[in-house]
Amino acid sequence: MAGYMVYWGKDYVKELEKAGDKGPFKVVYGSQHQIMPSISAVKVGDIIYAVTIKNETLAVMARLMVEKIECAFDYTMRELGTYHSALIPKGVLYYTEGIYGDFVMWEHGSGYVVDENTVKYNGSEGEVFEKLPDNIERIFHTDKLTEKPHLYHQKPRTCCAKYAASGKGSEIYPRLIPLECVKTMLFGKNKSVQKPLRFDKNDRIMTTSVSGFVRKMSDETMEIFESYF
């Protein structure tokens, strides 16, 4: 079992508060964007801690015990009712209505618009550059889908959510860690490369030190995080 840290910026925390999302913490998505980084290193049984910077120190917002890792599309379809901009996986055909007609999507959003008069590729008039793949196994249409009640953090934050790590989670609220304790923490994929967080000349945690990646923590650092739950 390993511990990982994912960063929630101040703006996102405000969005959670505005939406009244107090948990329980249910899912972490992974993509190739800094705002929603890859979770490829996370395994079932690991623990993910969502953190933010509050009052010039680290605040643990929530804890998630990972019980399942799956395609983000499958998670959103099951738990939210629609795909919510998760990447369309292979074998899936998804119809959604647009201003020009039905937009047909497959394999990570490739697609074209179809109406009664013409076929438009990605919104521009012209021939269809690609044919539908032969491996279509599942077909969805937005008209036949029903949005399910869900928490704000269950919606992917970008259009490229690829994987979803879900499981049992805690309530969502800031648990402040004393700055002197934060300075003892180490992060890295193994002991030989573990390093502390970086601080600026005013002794403030640098955002680039906690954002952009899902960071694995040392066993000792994980014990500190665990003590807050």
Side-chain angles (χ1 to χ4, degrees), residues 35-169:
I35 194 172
M36 197 170 65
S38 172
I39 56 172
S40 60
V42 178
K43 297 179 175 60
V44 171
D46 289 341
I47 299 176
I48 301 176
Y49 304 89
V51 305
T52 192
I53 296 176
K54 184 179 179 66
N55 296 346
E56 298 188 356
T57 189
L58 206 62
V60 189
M61 296 296 296
R63 173 189 188 272
L64 178 71
M65 171 67 79
V66 178
E67 296 181 336
K68 188 172 186 177
I69 298 176
E70 61 188 314
C71 172
F73 177 89
D74 290 339
Y75 176 87
T76 55
M77 289 298 294
R78 183 183 68 250
E79 302 295 333
L80 283 66
T82 64
Y83 85 110
H84 271 273
S85 77
L87 288 175
I88 308 295
K90 291 183 178 180
V92 169
L93 188 66
Y94 195 96
Y95 288 85
T96 184
E97 293 185 359
I99 59 175
Y100 298 108
D102 281 352
F103 190 75
V104 184
M105 292 185 291
W106 72 96
E107 293 188 14
H108 297 178
S110 297
Y112 55 83
V113 176
V114 181
D115 63 22
E116 295 179 355
N117 302 313
T118 184
V119 174
K120 302 177 182 181
Y121 181 79
N122 284 342
S124 299
E125 292 188 9
E127 62 179 314
V128 177
F129 295 167
E130 297 184 48
K131 293 182 179 179
L132 289 173
D134 297 326
N135 65 339
I136 297 299
E137 299 173 349
R138 294 181 290 167
I139 298 176
F140 300 95
H141 198 297
T142 51
D143 285 349
K144 299 180 181 179
L145 299 175
T146 302
E147 187 84 2
K148 296 180 180 180
H150 56 271
L151 298 172
Y152 187 84
H153 78 269
Q154 288 182 273
K155 297 188 295 184
R157 297 174 64 189
T158 76
C159 62
C160 296
K162 189 173 184 179
Y163 295 109
S166 59
K168 293 181 180 178

Side-chain angles (χ1 to χ4, degrees), residues 164-179:
S166 59
K168 293 181 180 178
S170 70
E171 291 183 69
I172 298 175
Y173 67 87
R175 302 157 176 88
L176 298 180
I177 303 176
L179 190 59

